[in-house]
Amino acid sequence: MAKCTIDDIRPLVSRPTRYLGSEINTVRKPPGSVKLRFALAFPDLYDIGTSHFGLQILYNILNRDPDIAAERVFTPGLDMASLLRREKIPLFSLETETPLAAFDIIGFSLLYELNYTNVLAMLDLSNIPFRACQRDASYPLVVAGGPCTCNPEPTADFFDAMVVGDGESVILEMARSWIDWSATGGGDKDRLLHAWSKIEGIYIPSFFEASWDASGFQHIKPKTADYDSVTRAIVPDLDAALFPDRPIVPFGKPVHDRLRIELARGCTRGCRFCQAGMIYRPVRERSLQNLKTLAEKALAGTGYEDISLLSLSTGDFSCLTLLMKDLIDRHTGDPVAISLPSFRAGTLTPEMMALVKRVRKTGFTIAPEAGSERLRRVINKNISEDEILETVTRAFSLGWRVVKLYFMIGLPTETEEDIEAIVDLTHKIQKKKGIAGRKATINVSVATFIPKPHTPFQWQPQIPVDKARKIIDSLRRRLKRPGIQFKWQNPEMSQLEGLWSRGDRRLADLLEAAYQMGCQFDGWSDTFEYDKWMAACRSSGIDTDFFIDRIRDFDEPLPWDSINCRINKAFLREEGEKALKEESTADCRIDDCNGCGVCDFELIRPRQAVEKTEWTEKGDTKEKRVNESTVENRLRMRYSKLKSAKYFGHLELINIFVRSLRRAGVKMKYSRGFHPKPKISFHEAIPVGIESHCEEFYLTVQQEFDCESMVSAINQELPEGLRILDCHCVPQDAGPTDQPFRFYHISRSEGVFDVRLLDAFAAADVHWLKRRTQKGRTLDIDLKQAVCSIRRGEPNRLTLCLAHQPGKTVRPGEAVQSIFGLSQEAANRLKIVKVTADAA
């Protein structure tokens, strides 16, 4: 029997397009043409990781270097992981299906503590030892980056190196250093690690020795005097850093299925609970001209119709109004929607309101974080209740119908009155009326506060699970009324996140124990197993209360003390003390410097877009992409859907074609209304897993055209397996028509179709197929009525003709499975190709 391949198992998994790697804007380099192969590993599902900013940025930077090939790998779904183990296929990269162990460097993105077991799963599936001390130079170097590395200690034993801070410049220095090391013989891993330790922002865990005193506190001792701490790497000027203007366009349903542009990095609002606001300082805004250029290039290079403007505090971006006006004016008449994340209360100015009226509205998000003004002073969330209510009122007046509110429970000094204030504020917001007096829907989300490293609250305790449960239950009862939807973060998950965010190297044994007990995808509610984690804690001797449920003394050593995030520890302590006094700290962008210690005011300093770009209002003279042509042509396009394209679902296929048409410059006609859609219609939905030589869709365009040139342009923008065959102009009312029959060629790569079963089917008067509907009912279909003809040409090949019966259409795979008694796996492995009647 032939060895099972990746192609053999793709038909057996859900969402197989997660594992294709043929998306638009991917980069594939022949392995022999480069000096370094770098695997960018994201420890979560493709749907989550594929649109992550950091991954896209590093992929773009590394692949621009002709000596480096960067490829992506994500944690496979549990079904795919099970098949990889069963068939002894190692975890592979998407671009070239290279086993992970064959790369030179594997770089993990650590964004979320509850993804740590997925790191072990990916190493396990690659037959790579977990711990750095177990890996010699024959294995890839395993490194990590992302916000979780600001406390690297819980996972330090698993990585050869960890990047702290911005990775744009660090990643290329690491890569070049590896190439130099390899060119001089490689072999001695310590020699490379010593070279890496000279790069700002790189932590080498093996160069620090951990010990514990009688009180249980970890002490980190450097092994060399010249490497006793690691300073966070900072990109001083984002305009000088590379940012992808042709990002990968994911398949399937990514969590962020739109173009995402980073306006700025950092925040100086000074919320005392917010780790990102501390570790990404100072604020560095991209210039207006840079953002406009990036947006236009990326829209053209992706075909997206939606663009999100993102930063930690988008409403604070100094040129937001100017940027919004420019993007809206440029795309008047073009169905590009601009979406905005949450607004900070008080930042929705009249100028912004005028622009917001012109953009599509989904949900409006505001994060009071605490219900009472007293507690907001404690956490330095300097917004009043009046500002919150005024912002919500304005949002309703602009047409928003859904308001999302985010709160935390368990904040320092919290009282029952603060909990009651969450209820009161929610009820006040609900009383506000929208347009025409309509009431809005209020979505309230509550999470347990987690004290994070490098914040003023890093010394504070986290409330116990049972207390968090009690508060959540109380809020759920009191907010149970029409028009309010209440959601909450699982307190057990929050407890685990708190453990990993402030733990030390003793947690390495816990991670291995939990993984061996079956813990994985711990950030997903349907796979999170709290009991197993608590059993792993007991078996590893981990006292969770020691790390979570106690006030830490200001003088005790902290696990992350060897990491210098550039914020003075004295500043954090002072902010923590001001919190207890309910004293606020002003935003240093609009007030005096607060002395946090990050800036040197030469290279590292706040940078605002207004400093770099002068803007002149051009009014109606500004260029507009308005398609004013009255020319309309209706086109019929025939296409084939072969090989890996067979895995595209119908809605996925429509998205792929629409974005490909936009990239090719085809001026499609769109429907009218608030959410315009292109005038495109497909003949029918082809089931996932079926190839076809004979599909078609109809499209209305507003342009003169040459069919041959248009087809060529579109084909250059389609992923592998999709191809436009021809294009014809048809009457305006032409559209898809139902055909009474469907023809298929079906084959098996292993086994044959039993002729006796085929004869038995031919001789039978009826042959019932039982189908389970989505509503759980059983539908009986007589295959003798559905199958017009079936014949066996060769022992492993069939030609099948099915009648098209609305409401009772039979899929060719299920018909063959029923007639020949195939297992589900054998049926999924069938090669099914839809053909024309002539070809049948």
Side-chain angles (χ1 to χ4, degrees):
M1 182 180 295
K3 185 178 179 180
C4 190
T5 67
I6 296 167
D7 284 338
D8 293 328
I9 61 176
R10 277 200 190 95
L12 309 181
V13 300
S14 62
R15 302 191 185 180
T17 53
R18 287 172 172 168
Y19 312 105
L20 291 183
S22 57
E23 308 98 315
I24 292 298
N25 298 334
T26 53
V27 178
R28 296 184 185 181
K29 298 181 181 181
S33 69
V34 297
K35 297 177 181 177
L36 168 63
R37 303 190 71 191
F38 202 123
L40 294 171
F42 196 94
D44 208 330
L45 294 175
Y46 172 93
D47 318 56
I48 305 298
T50 189
S51 44
H52 170 56
F53 261 155
L55 194 74
Q56 294 265 18
I57 290 171
L58 297 181
Y59 186 87
N60 173 59
I61 289 173
L62 290 170
N63 279 316
R64 282 174 181 254
D65 191 314
D67 291 334
I68 304 170
E71 303 185 29
R72 299 161 299 143
V73 60
F74 302 90
T75 307
L78 296 177
D79 56 348
M80 173 61 90
S82 177
L83 287 167
L84 291 175
R85 289 191 176 93
R86 190 188 80 180
E87 302 298 339
K88 296 181 172 56
I89 298 174
L91 183 61
F92 54 92
S93 67
L94 294 188
E95 281 76 2
T96 61
E97 298 181 358
T98 299
L100 206 55
F103 283 86
D104 301 308
I105 302 176
I106 303 170
F108 281 93
S109 296
L110 301 184
L111 274 71
Y112 183 33
E113 292 86 353
L114 298 192
N115 283 343
Y116 289 167
T117 51
N118 290 348
V119 173
L120 298 195
M122 295 173 78
L123 294 175
D124 192 17
L125 288 167
S126 306
N127 300 311
I128 296 173
F130 292 156
R131 306 222 182 190
C133 63
Q134 300 167 336
R135 299 189 296 264
D136 58 24
S138 66
Y139 289 101
L141 277 296
V142 181
V143 304
C148 291
T149 62
C150 69
N151 177 19
E153 293 308 298
T155 58
D157 287 348
F158 303 104
F159 296 104
D160 295 295
M162 305 178 85
V163 176
V164 181
D166 297 334
E168 284 94 333
S169 61
V170 177
I171 197 74
L172 275 181
E173 289 188 69
M174 291 182 76
R176 278 289 152 201
S177 183
W178 186 95
I179 290 172
D180 293 342
W181 168 78
S182 179
T184 55
D188 182 5
K189 190 165 75 168
D190 273 355
R191 182 164 62 90
L192 174 64
L193 297 181
H194 274 287
W196 278 357
S197 72
K198 306 300 181 184
I199 302 172
E200 186 172 72
I202 295 187
Y203 177 61
I204 309 295
S206 62
F207 288 4
F208 293 81
E209 186 174 354
S211 62
W212 291 266
D213 61 24
S215 299
F217 301 143
Q218 176 179 288
H219 296 263
I220 292 290
K221 181 181 179 181
K223 294 182 178 180
T224 60
D226 61 343
Y227 185 62
D228 58 357
S229 67
V230 175
T231 301
R232 173 171 64 99
I234 290 181
V235 173
D237 185 352
L238 293 185
D239 282 342
L242 292 172
F243 191 83
D245 55 16
R246 289 184 65 88
I248 292 171
V249 183
F251 293 144
K253 296 180 179 179
V255 289
H256 300 294
D257 194 16
R258 63 183 68 90
L259 178 62
R260 307 171 77 221
I261 298 292
E262 183 189 35
L263 303 182
R265 200 171 296 176
C267 177
T268 51
R269 287 289 185 174
C271 298
R272 291 171 179 137
F273 60 86
C274 182
Q275 185 184 65
M278 298 294 166
I279 66 172
Y280 289 120
R281 292 185 177 202
V283 170
R284 292 146 289 156
E285 296 182 349
R286 285 189 164 85
S287 68
L288 190 59
Q289 186 57 49
N290 186 19
L291 289 168
K292 288 158 57 178
T293 302
L294 279 174
E296 293 307 304
K297 286 185 176 180
L299 285 169
T302 60
Y304 279 124
E305 297 172 317
D306 294 83
I307 179 171
S308 271
L309 307 176
L310 302 179
S311 75
L312 287 176
S313 184
T314 299
D316 288 332
F317 179 61
S318 60
C319 286
L320 183 59
T321 301
L322 300 177
L323 179 62
M324 286 276 292
K325 177 169 174 43
D326 181 83
L327 290 174
I328 291 172
D329 286 348
R330 282 175 181 267
H331 296 282
T332 300
D334 186 17
V336 171
I338 303 167
S339 62
L340 297 167
S342 62
F343 275 99
R344 183 182 175 92
T347 62
L348 196 56
T349 63
E351 295 81 5
M352 181 57 63
M353 288 177 64
L355 291 171
V356 166
K357 287 181 179 179
R358 301 167 62 185
V359 301
R360 185 186 308 164
K361 289 134 186 109
T362 51
F364 183 90
T365 302
I366 188 167
E369 310 294 358
S372 69
E373 289 193 21
R374 184 201 72 81
L375 194 52
R376 286 196 290 276
R377 287 195 299 273
V378 168
I379 64 177
N380 208 45
K381 188 81 173 185
N382 297 319
I383 52 175
S384 67
E385 181 173 294
D386 287 343
E387 287 176 316
I388 293 171
L389 295 175
E390 182 183 1
T391 299
V392 171
T393 300
R394 287 181 173 180
F396 288 163
S397 71
L398 294 172
W400 268 286
R401 299 180 183 178
V402 178
V403 172
K404 302 175 185 177
L405 302 175
Y406 285 96
F407 295 99
M408 285 186 290
I409 59 171
L411 288 162
T413 78
E414 181 182 75
T415 66
E416 178 58 37
E417 287 73 21
D418 298 312
I419 300 301
E420 183 63 36
I422 294 176
V423 179
D424 292 341
L425 180 59
T426 303
H427 288 167
K428 288 177 182 178
I429 290 173
Q430 190 188 28
K431 291 177 181 178
K432 300 292 181 181
K433 299 291 181 67
I435 295 175
R438 289 193 295 260
K439 283 189 176 181
T441 298
I442 312 297
N443 293 336
V444 178
S445 182
V446 170
T448 304
F449 163 66
I450 301 169
K452 293 281 187 170
H454 305 287
T455 69
F457 291 153
Q458 64 182 357
W459 294 279
Q460 292 292 326
Q462 182 173 335
I463 63 172
V465 169
D466 55 351
K467 184 175 181 180
R469 280 279 181 204
K470 183 179 179 181
I471 295 172
I472 288 170
D473 289 343
S474 173
L475 287 172
R476 184 174 54 185
R477 289 193 303 271
R478 287 186 277 181
L479 290 174
K480 188 176 182 180
R481 60 166 59 180
I484 298 178
Q485 297 181 6
F486 182 73
K487 298 180 180 179
W488 63 93
Q489 172 76 13
N490 185 330
E492 286 84 3
M493 284 185 178
S494 299
Q495 181 197 39
L496 197 61
E497 183 181 344
L499 173 65
W500 283 102
S501 68
R502 294 196 293 170
D504 61 27
R505 292 196 186 188
R506 284 172 289 190
L507 298 191
D509 291 340
L510 169 62
L511 189 64
E512 284 200 49
Y515 176 70
Q516 297 299 341
M517 290 180 181
C519 294
Q520 203 183 330
F521 291 107
D522 303 297
W524 296 77
S525 58
D526 55 343
T527 49
F528 177 64
E529 297 185 89
Y530 181 68
D531 291 344
K532 288 184 178 179
W533 271 104
M534 292 301 98
C537 285
R538 291 190 294 271
S539 70
S540 305
I542 297 298
D543 177 8
T544 59
D545 289 344
F546 176 81
F547 294 103
I548 302 173
D549 189 18
R550 68 180 180 87
I551 297 177
R552 301 189 183 208
D553 190 87
F554 284 126
D555 297 323
E556 77 174 65
L558 300 173
W560 50 92
D561 277 344
S562 59
I563 303 300
N564 175 15
C565 276
R566 297 179 183 264
I567 299 180
N568 295 330
K569 201 171 184 180
F571 170 78
L572 296 178
R573 178 172 178 172
E574 180 184 349
E575 282 294 295
E577 291 171 344
K578 288 175 71 175
L580 300 181
K581 298 175 185 176
E582 300 177 18
E583 295 178 2
S584 298
T585 299
D587 185 339
C588 66
R589 280 188 297 181
I590 56 178
D591 212 308
D592 294 335
C593 171
N594 294 314
C596 71
V598 170
C599 298
D600 60 16
F601 299 102
E602 294 178 0
L603 185 64
I604 300 173
R605 59 182 176 83
R607 295 175 187 262
Q608 291 186 282
V610 290
E611 293 181 346
K612 304 177 183 179
T613 307
E614 292 185 2
W615 178 264
T616 302
E617 183 63 54
K618 297 182 180 179
D620 293 334
T621 63
K622 182 171 289 294
E623 174 190 359
K624 296 183 180 181
R625 287 189 172 183
V626 182
N627 188 352
E628 298 176 349
S629 173
T630 58
V631 175
E632 285 191 11
N633 286 292
R634 184 74 167 165
L635 307 179
R636 182 187 67 197
M637 292 192 175
R638 291 194 313 117
Y639 69 95
S640 58
K641 177 175 178 279
L642 304 173
K643 297 183 179 179
S644 60
K646 69 183 179 181
Y647 297 118
F648 297 140
H650 186 60
L651 295 179
E652 189 174 5
L653 188 70
I654 294 173
N655 270 339
I656 289 171
F657 269 115
V658 168
R659 289 168 181 169
S660 297
L661 290 162
R662 289 178 62 83
R663 288 193 300 272
V666 177
K667 292 181 171 60
M668 294 176 283
K669 182 179 180 180
Y670 281 77
S671 63
R672 297 184 179 276
F674 195 65
H675 197 163
K677 296 289 186 181
K679 294 283 189 176
I680 186 171
S681 54
F682 285 74
H683 182 214
E684 64 180 351
I686 315 169
V688 172
I690 295 180
E691 301 177 60
S692 178
H693 288 284
C694 51
E695 298 305 310
E696 63 183 27
F697 64 85
Y698 289 77
L699 173 70
T700 301
V701 298
Q702 293 184 305
Q703 66 184 90
E704 299 290 353
F705 65 95
D706 170 69
C707 270
E708 185 176 345
S709 299
M710 180 178 284
V711 168
S712 175
I714 297 170
N715 280 336
Q716 290 180 38
E717 299 297 338
L718 288 172
E720 296 174 8
L722 288 178
R723 184 171 180 80
I724 302 292
L725 302 176
D726 58 44
C727 165
H728 295 283
C729 195
V730 294
Q732 286 291 339
D733 59 352
T737 57
D738 282 335
Q739 301 297 321
F741 305 107
R742 308 286 187 271
F743 300 89
Y744 303 93
H745 288 163
I746 303 173
S747 59
R748 300 183 69 178
S749 58
E750 295 179 2
V752 299
F753 294 109
D754 192 331
V755 70
R756 293 170 299 176
L757 295 175
L758 184 60
D759 291 340
F761 174 76
D765 293 327
V766 295
H767 185 108
W768 294 108
L769 169 70
K770 291 187 179 294
R771 177 190 292 166
R772 197 80 171 163
T773 68
Q774 291 183 342
K775 295 183 178 181
R777 294 178 295 182
T778 299
L779 181 65
D780 292 326
I781 300 174
D782 183 6
L783 282 185
K784 294 293 290 185
Q785 300 297 317
V787 176
C788 301
S789 67
I790 180 171
R791 65 178 187 272
R792 192 179 83 154
E794 299 178 24
N796 68 332
R797 296 181 183 276
L798 298 172
T799 298
L800 175 68
C801 174
L802 292 175
H804 180 62
Q805 300 173 303
K808 290 188 177 182
T809 299
V810 173
R811 295 183 177 183
E814 65 180 351
V816 173
Q817 180 182 10
S818 179
I819 293 169
F820 293 96
L822 302 180
S823 67
Q824 188 61 56
E825 181 169 325
N828 288 347
R829 289 183 186 271
L830 292 172
K831 179 178 174 64
I832 304 174
V833 183
K834 185 180 174 185
V835 297
T836 63
D838 293 340

